[in-house]
Each structure stands twice: as structure tokens, then as C-alpha cells.
């Protein structure tokens, strides 16, 4: 078989790519109704107790449409770990459109984004409560369709 080195290379590349992906432990979105995400609307996510100790990656995710009027969105994230009641506060500046006007997200009519919030060192039995709010000067942010979080563990 003449293509054996090529086939072997492709298989090794696929195995490497699959091995680098993170395993989702929790992945949930909250739908944002019209006219948009209000500054007073806090989105709550309750993550069930962890099955194992580990360093977990927390990401915020967005889906926007063409009506989003700005290049960035600033999100405040609060994470409270139970039973320890340890609390973390993060501010995430989400770049949605480049300086040249190119949309940075994936999609056609809706654009999806993922932004790293923090790595959490969690123990078996720990649960996490996450709250997200936007921190923009404008009270209502149009063009935000969904906001979510993903907690994942390296493979």
C-alpha cells in the first residue's frame, strides 16, 4: 500500500487532536429574551457535585446575532464553591468583532464564542454556583441570544 505513511500520519493526527480535547462535566445555556440582556438579569448556573478531584476549566459562552452593536462585551462572573464557600470574582472582556469589523465568532446568522474564565481546583463532592451579569454602560444589550457556561476536565 503506497499511502501507508500518509494514512498512518492522518490517524496519529486524529488521535492527537482527540486526546487534547476537554471532557465536558457541565454545559448549559440560558436563553436571553427580547429586547436583550438586561443589566439586572443575573444568570444562575448550579453545577452538581464533582465525581473526582481535579483542575476544571470554566468557560463562558455566548451566542449573538447581527444586532449586537459593539465590538466587545464585558461579563462579570462569580463562582461559589460548596461546601467550602470559597468565592471567586472574574471580569471577562469578550472580543466579538475585530478592529477591522470581522466577526470573531463561529456561525452564519448566529455567532458562537467561548471565553476562558478560570481554572478551578475542585474536590470530589464539591459543587459550584456560577452567576453571570454583563457589565456594560448600556442597560440592555440587544443581539445576545444565549449565554452559557462550560465546565470541563482535561482528557
Amino acid at each position: 500500500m503506497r499511502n501507508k505513511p500518509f494514512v498512518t500520519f492522518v490517524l496519529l493526527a486524529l488521535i492527537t487532536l482527540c486526546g487534547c480535547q476537554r471532557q465536558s462535566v457541565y454545559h448549559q445555556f440560558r436563553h436571553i429574551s427580547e429586547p436583550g440582556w438586561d443589566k439586572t438579569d443575573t444568570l444562575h448556573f448550579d453545577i452538581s457535585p464533582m465525581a473526582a478531584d481535579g483542575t476544571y476549566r470554566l468557560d463562558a459562552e455566548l451566542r449573538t446575532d447581527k444586532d449586537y452593536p459593539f465590538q466587545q462585551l464585558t461579563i462579570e462572573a462569580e463562582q461559589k464553591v460548596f461546601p467550602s464557600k470559597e468565592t471567586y470574582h472574574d471580569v471577562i472582556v469578550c472580543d466579538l468583532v475585530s478592529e477591522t469589523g470581522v466577526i470573531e465568532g463561529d456561525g452564519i446568522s448566529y455567532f458562537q464564542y467561548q471565553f476562558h474564565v478560570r481554572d478551578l481546583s475542585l474536590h470530589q463532592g464539591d459543587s459550584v454556583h456560577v452567576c453571570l451579569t454583563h457589565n456594560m454602560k448600556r442597560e440592555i444589550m440587544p443581539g445576545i441570544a444565549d449565554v452559557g457556561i462550560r465546565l470541563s476536565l482535561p482528557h
Side-chain angles (χ1 to χ4, degrees):
M1 177 182 220
R2 289 184 178 177
N3 290 333
K4 188 174 183 179
F6 177 73
V7 171
T8 303
F9 172 77
V10 170
L11 287 173
L12 286 174
L14 286 172
I15 290 169
T16 301
L17 287 174
C18 292
C20 295
Q21 292 179 351
R22 301 178 75 87
Q23 176 187 359
S24 287
V25 174
Y26 179 90
H27 191 208
Q28 194 71 236
F29 278 92
R30 299 285 183 259
H31 180 69
I32 305 299
S33 59
E34 291 295 327
W37 192 8
D38 192 302
K39 196 171 195 126
T40 62
D41 289 341
T42 301
L43 305 175
H44 299 272
F45 301 87
D46 288 307
I47 303 171
S48 299
M50 299 298 109
D53 292 356
T55 300
Y56 293 79
R57 177 185 170 105
L58 180 65
D59 293 309
E61 297 190 330
L62 298 172
R63 289 186 190 124
T64 66
D65 63 26
K66 63 180 176 20
D67 294 329
Y68 186 74
F70 302 109
Q71 288 181 320
Q72 295 179 324
L73 175 71
T74 303
I75 296 175
E76 290 189 18
E78 178 184 279
Q79 308 97 60
K80 194 172 282 189
V81 178
F82 294 97
S84 70
K85 296 188 182 175
E86 245 181 309
T87 302
Y88 304 97
H89 296 275
D90 294 287
V91 175
I92 306 101
V93 177
C94 307
D95 291 319
L96 306 178
V97 179
S98 72
E99 291 180 16
T100 59
V102 176
I103 295 172
E104 301 284 344
D106 295 326
I108 297 172
S109 60
Y110 284 93
F111 306 99
Q112 185 152 335
Y113 304 86
Q114 183 172 332
F115 301 96
H116 182 64
V117 176
R118 76 166 41 241
D119 290 334
L120 292 167
S121 181
L122 300 173
H123 300 288
Q124 182 178 2
D126 283 354
S127 61
V128 184
H129 179 77
V130 179
C131 299
L132 300 179
T133 55
H134 80 75
N135 186 15
M136 301 290 284
K137 289 181 182 177
R138 190 173 185 170
E139 290 294 317
I140 297 176
M141 299 306 297
I144 308 268
D146 302 286
V147 179
I149 63 166
R150 178 189 303 259
L151 188 71
S152 53
L153 186 63
H155 243 14

